[in-house]
Amino acid sequence: MDYSILIGGAAGQGIETVVELLEKIIKRAGFNVFTYKDYMSMVRGGHNFMQIRFSDDEIYTYNSKVDIIFAMTQETISKHHDKLKSGGIIICDESFEENDFIKLPLQKLAKDLGNTKVVGTIGVGFIIKYLGISYDIAANTIKTFFKDENIDVNLEAFKIGYNIGENKYQLQSLEDDKILINGNQALALGAIAAGVKFYCGYPMTPSTSVMSYISRHANEMGIVVDQVEDEVAALNMALGASFAGVRAMTGSSGGGFALMVEALSLAGIMEIPIVLFNAQRPGPATGLSTRSEQGDLRFVIHAGHGEFPKMVIALRSPEDAFYQTARAFNLADKYQIPVVLLTDEYLADYDMTIKPFDFTKITIERYISNENEIEDERYKRYKYTESGISPRLVPGIANEKLVLVDSHEHNEYGNIDESIETRVNMMKKRMKKLDNLRTEIQEPDYIGAENPEYLLVGFGSTYGAIKEAVLRLNLTSEKFGALIFGDIYPFPVERLNYYSNKAKKIIVVEQNYLSQLKSLIDEYTDIKVDKSILKYDGRAINSDDIIQELNKFLSNYTI
Amino acid sequence: MKCEYELYKPSWCPGCGNYMIRDALKKALEDLEINPSKVVLVSGIGQAAKMPHYIGLNGFNGLHGRALPPAIGIKMSNKYLTVIVESGDGDTYGEGANHFIHTIRRNVDIAHFVHNNQIYGLTKGQGSPTTALGQKTTLQFDGVKLNPLNPLALSLTMGAGFVARGFSGDIEHLSNLMKEAILYKGYAHVDILQPCVVWNKINTFKWYKDRVYKLNDDYDYTDFELAYKKSLEFGDRIPIGIFYKVEKETYEQRFPFVENGEPLVKAELNPTNAQKLLEEFY
C-alpha cells in the first residue's frame, strides 16, 4: 500500500493544522509518513498545498500522483485534479461549482458547531473513515493535538466528518515506534544534544524554524537565543560566544549567509570553532523565498575571502541532520574551524517518520586545554604544532594565561605580524588542518547493486528521491547504484572512484542549473560524467522525476 | 593586579591620543583591582582597535565595525568576565552603527570606549561620521558633505543608561569615567575626544583643550532632558563627564538562567539531557 493525500488552500486557511493533525493520526496508526510542503511567500491568500504520503513500507520522498484531494479552495481543484489517480476522490465544500466531486456541507457544519475554523477537522474525520483508520487512534490524537479549549469542538467536528463519510479501505494499524520530524527540527535537536548554549540569527525562510525551535526550548535547556539586527552581527556574535568557550551556532538562507561571509573568514584566521548552516532557497538575491534549490554548493565551499580550512556537510535527511549536526560541533572544536551545514527548503520542511534518535550515540568532544598543560610562560594561542592545531584555552577559565585572537595575520601569540616568515608559517599551519581533516571525512552513502551499470551521484536533500529511484529501478533490473554525498568539502573521492570504475554511465542528479556537483567531480577526479539530471524550478525532485529523466537518457541504451 | 604592557611596540604615531587612553584604561583596571585574565578587550579595526595588542588582557581583535557583536556573545557566555570594547569613530559610528544602536537596545553589561578623533587615521585622513560639515580631508577635497553624527545624543535617545564623554588630554578624569563605566551594570557608552596628530589639523589637541570643560559637581546626571541638552553642546564649549547615568535592567537579567545560574561556559554538556525533547515527535 502506498497512498497520498493532497490538501490545498489559501494561506491563512489553516491547512497546516489540518495536515499536522492528519499526518500525526496516520503516523500513530503505525504507518510510515512523508509530508511534502509547497507554500508561497504569503501570509494570506495565494495557493499552498501539502501532500501526505503514507505506506506500510519504507518511503523516502513524495509521489507525483495522489489518491485523495481535500480542496479548501476552488483553485486547489483546478491546479491539482490532474494529479489524481483513477479511482481517486476530491473532497470539497458543497458551495464549490464543480460537479463530479464529493461535496460536503463543511462550511455549514462548522458554522453549526459555532467555529468556522474546524472545517479542516471535519474533513479529517471524513478521510479517516474513508481510509478505515482506527477511530480511537484518531480521537486520542485530537485530544493531545489541540489546546485544551479547542479539544471538544474539534472532537465534535471530527465525529461529524466521520459520520457523514463512507468507508472504502480497511487499514489495519501497525506498531507505532517512530518519530515524525522535519529536517530543521532534527538539525536544531542535534545542536541542542551537542550542547549548543548560544544561538543567534535573523529570520529568513527557510532557516527560521531552527531558531524558533531552539527558542521554544531555550529556558528549559539554558540556551541564549538572540534575534540579531542582521546576519553580520549573527556570525560575529556567535564567534564571540565560541571564543568565550560555549558551543555557539547561527544559520540562515543564502542571502543571510552572504552577509556572514566576512565573519566566516574571521573564524578562519582566528581559528574559532563554529557551526553554521545555510538552508538554501533558489536565488539569485531574493529569488523564490519559500522554495528549494541546491544552487549554493559552490558558494558555500568558497565562502570567505582569503584561503582557510573549513568543512561543508550536506544534510541528506532528518536523521542525517540530527547526527551530522552533532558531529559538526566535534569537528569544529577539534580542528578549530567553521563547519557549514548545507540544507535546503525541501529538507527543512518535509516531515518524515524515522527511527527515534539515539542520544547515547552523541559524543561531546571539546578539545579545550587545561591551563596547567601549557608550558610556554606566555600563552601562544597560535602555537605551531605538528597537526597545525594549537592548544586552545578559554579566556577567564584560564586564571593566569591570557588569550589573544586576531583578524590580522599574527604570530603565535596572536599579535599582528606582517613578516614573510610568519605569514608563510601561519598559512601552512592553518592549511595543515585541512590535510588532517581529509583523513576523517566520510565517504558518500552507497545504495544499490554492488556492481552497478548505471551510477547516480547526488548530494544532500535529494538523498530520498535518488534512493527511492534506485530501489524502484532495481526491482526490475539490478543494474543501478547511487552515491549520495554528505561530507562534500573537503571532497571525498575514494568511493566515487571505486564505483565509477564499475559503472558504464555516470549520472549526476542535482537541483541547480550549472551542475555544481559535476564541476566538483571534474575538479577532483578524472571521472567523466555522462549526464546531469538538473532541476531548478524551485520544486523538489522526486523518484518519479528521476526515473523519467533517466529513461529518456537511457533510451539509447539497453537497460 | 598589574596590567602589563606587552613587549609589542605600538604602531601609533608619537603624540597620538591613544597612548593617553591606554594609560587611563590601565589605571582604571589597576584601581579596580580586576585580574587581567578576567577581562576581555574587544576591538574592531582602526588605530584605536589595535589596543588589544598593546595591553596585557585577553583580547579579541575582530573585524572593522564588528566589535560589539562578539563582545555581546562573550558576555552572555561568561557573565563573570569584564568585557570592554575599544574602537574608533569610524568603527563604531560608521561601519558598526547598526550594531551600536542594537547593542544599546539590549543593554548588555559592557563598557564601550570610543576613541573619537573625528577622522579616519588608519586609512589616512578620510572624513569620519563625526567629521564636521565642510571640513576638507584627504578624500573630501572640497569639504565633507554629510552632516556629522552626534554620538551622545544618539545613545541617549536610544535609551542607553550610561552616557559619558572624556578627553584623552585629561587622563585622571578619563580614567575615572572608565572606572564608572566598567562598574556600571549595563551598556556604558564613553565617547573619548582625542586628537589625530597626522590627519586632523582642525580638531587638534589645542582645539579640544581650549573647548572642553567638566560638568559641574552639582550636575544632575539622572535628568534625561538636561543630558540631552548637554549632548547638543559641541562647539566653542564641549562638556566632558557623565552626562547620564540611571539604573536599567540588563540583557543578562532578562534571561533567568543567565542571571541566576552559573556562567553558560561552565554548563555541563550531556546529550541525553535533550532526550526528553523527542516526546513531541511521537
Side-chain angles (χ1 to χ4, degrees), chain A residues 162-177:
Chain A
Y162 194 89
N163 290 332
I164 58 173
E166 284 180 14
N167 174 254
K168 179 162 180 188
Y169 302 105
Q170 282 302 327
L171 301 184
Q172 291 301 320
S173 299
L174 305 167
E175 193 193 347
D176 169 30
D177 57 358

Side-chain angles (χ1 to χ4, degrees), chain B residues 221-243:
Chain B
Y221 57 60
T222 64
D223 183 338
F224 178 82
E225 284 176 28
L226 180 61
Y228 185 70
K229 211 172 138 195
K230 279 285 168 197
S231 76
L232 301 179
E233 194 179 317
F234 196 92
D236 290 343
R237 279 169 61 76
I238 303 172
I240 58 171
I242 298 176
F243 283 53

Side-chain angles (χ1 to χ4, degrees), chain B residues 27-66:
Chain B
K27 184 176 182 315
L29 290 169
E30 282 175 0
D31 288 355
L32 293 173
E33 296 184 349
I34 303 174
N35 183 331
S37 75
K38 303 298 172 197
V39 182
V40 181
L41 186 62
V42 186
S43 70
I45 293 294
Q47 289 293 19
K50 289 180 182 168
M51 190 69 87
H53 298 282
Y54 308 148
I55 195 162
L57 301 167
N58 292 299
F60 186 112
N61 182 183
L63 295 167
H64 186 55
R66 320 295 173 213

Side-chain angles (χ1 to χ4, degrees), chain A residues 42 288 454:
Chain A
M42 284 187 174
L288 295 166
Y454 306 103

Side-chain angles (χ1 to χ4, degrees), chain A residues 296-317:
Chain A
D296 292 350
L297 175 62
R298 279 286 190 181
F299 168 52
V300 163
I301 287 175
H302 299 293
H305 51 296
E307 296 168 303
F308 57 92
K310 71 160 94 66
M311 181 170 185
V312 180
I313 304 175
L315 304 178
R316 290 170 286 204
S317 64

